[in-house]
Amino acid sequence: MSTLNPLKRVVSHVILDLDGTLLNTDGIVVEVLKIVLEQYGKKWDGKKAHRIVGKTPLEAANAVVEDYELPCTIAEFMSTTTPMFSNQWCNIKALPGANRLIRHLKSKGVPFGLASNSPRLNIEAKISYHHGWADSFCTIVGGNEVKNGKPSPDVFLEAARRMKVDPSNCLVIEDSSPGVMAGKAAGMVVVAAPSLPKHADLCNSADEVINSLLDLHPEKWGLPPFDDWIEDTLPMEPWYIGGPVVKGFGRGSKVLGIPTGMLKPNNRTYFGLSSSLVFLKLITTSLLLQIYFHVSMIRVWCMLLH
C-alpha cells in the first residue's frame, strides 16, 4: 500500500531514474558480483546490497572492495567488472509498469527526462534494447555529465535546466535512498518505488512511497491519469506462451479436475491488478477455469486466450 504525504503542489514535468526504477538492473549486477567475488573466495551477501544501490559505479566498486576486503584496487576491480556488466545490458528487463509509464507520458504530451548516476554511454546502451525508449525522453543526463552524482541534486537540476523548467515543477521517480535525497535536495516532488523493499524506510523522505510503478497515480500530482484501468483492475502486458499440455483426462484432470489440450504459440496471457483478491482465470477454446486465492490487497487476472 502506498503512503501519501499531503499534496503541496502540482507538477508539469517528470524526471525518471533508470537502474532499479525502469530497468531491473539489480539482478544482473548481483550475478556479475557473485562471479567476481567467487574468484576471490568470497560469497555475495544480499544484506549488503543497499550499500551499492543508487550509487555511482565508482562508489559501488569502492563499497564492494571495502565490504568484502578484496585484495585489489578499485581500478582493478572496475577493469574486471565493467566489461562483464556491459555484456549483460542486453539481458536487462524492464520493470513492471515501466513501458506503460513511458507510453502514457509520451501519449499525453507530458515532458519527461532521464537522470541516472550511470555514465551517459552506459545509459544509452541499456535503453537501446528497449523499443522506443531512446526517442521518448526530452533529455538524458548521466552521472559523468555533472560534478557530483546522487545524493547530490546535480543530475536532476541539470535535467530540469535542459528541459527549461523550474525544479519545483518536476516530479522525480526513484528507487533508492541516494536518488530520493537528490530529488528532495533539488526541490522537486519525489515518488519512491524502492528496489529493495526491506529498506523502504530509507526512502521515507519521499513525498510518496509506492510498491512499484504500477501503483503510480499521476493525477495526484496534477498529471494526466492512466486511462487503462477497467473496473479497478489494471490490465498488464501480455505473456506469449505455447507448447503441449496433457490431453484428455490425464494429469490435467487429476490435478485441476478438468480436461486439457494443446496451447498454440499465439496464446496470450494477461494479468490485471486491483484491490480485493487474487484469482486465476484460464480460457482456451473449450476450457474455463477459475481458481481463487484470497489475498488482502491484490487481485491477479490471468487469461490464456486460444
Side-chain angles (χ1 to χ4, degrees), residues 2 15 28 31 39 53 72 172 191 207 231 245 273 296 301:
S2 64
I15 304 177
I28 297 296
E31 289 306 310
Q39 295 174 358
V53 172
C72 65
V172 166
V191 171
D207 296 275
E231 298 181 354
V245 291
L273 301 177
S296 59
W301 289 22

Side-chain angles (χ1 to χ4, degrees), residues 71-205:
C72 65
T73 65
I74 297 174
E76 291 171 339
F77 180 81
M78 293 187 70
S79 67
T80 299
T81 57
T82 298
M84 296 176 68
F85 287 136
S86 298
N87 291 335
Q88 293 298 319
W89 294 156
C90 60
N91 296 320
I92 300 177
K93 305 299 183 183
L95 284 164
N99 282 305
R100 172 179 178 253
L101 176 59
I102 290 174
R103 286 196 302 265
H104 173 72
L105 295 176
K106 186 175 182 179
S107 67
K108 299 299 183 180
V110 178
F112 63 104
L114 186 62
S116 170
N117 265 347
S118 294
R120 177 63 180 266
L121 290 177
N122 286 5
I123 295 173
E124 293 176 346
K126 293 172 187 176
I127 66 176
S128 69
Y129 296 101
H130 298 271
H131 181 69
W133 283 27
D135 298 328
S136 297
F137 299 105
C138 294
T139 187
I140 297 175
V141 183
N144 63 317
E145 298 181 280
V146 295
K147 183 178 180 180
N148 299 301
K150 306 169 189 177
S152 164
D154 292 8
V155 288
F156 291 131
L157 293 175
E158 177 61 16
R161 185 190 70 79
R162 294 183 187 182
M163 291 193 292
K164 298 180 181 180
V165 60
D166 189 277
S168 64
N169 290 327
C170 294
L171 168 67
V172 166
I173 303 180
E174 265 284 354
D175 74 294
S176 69
S177 175
V180 170
M181 293 170 62
K184 296 302 294 181
M188 301 177 178
V189 175
V190 179
V191 171
S195 56
L196 296 177
K198 291 183 179 180
H199 295 279
D201 58 309
L202 298 178
C203 297
N204 283 343
S205 62

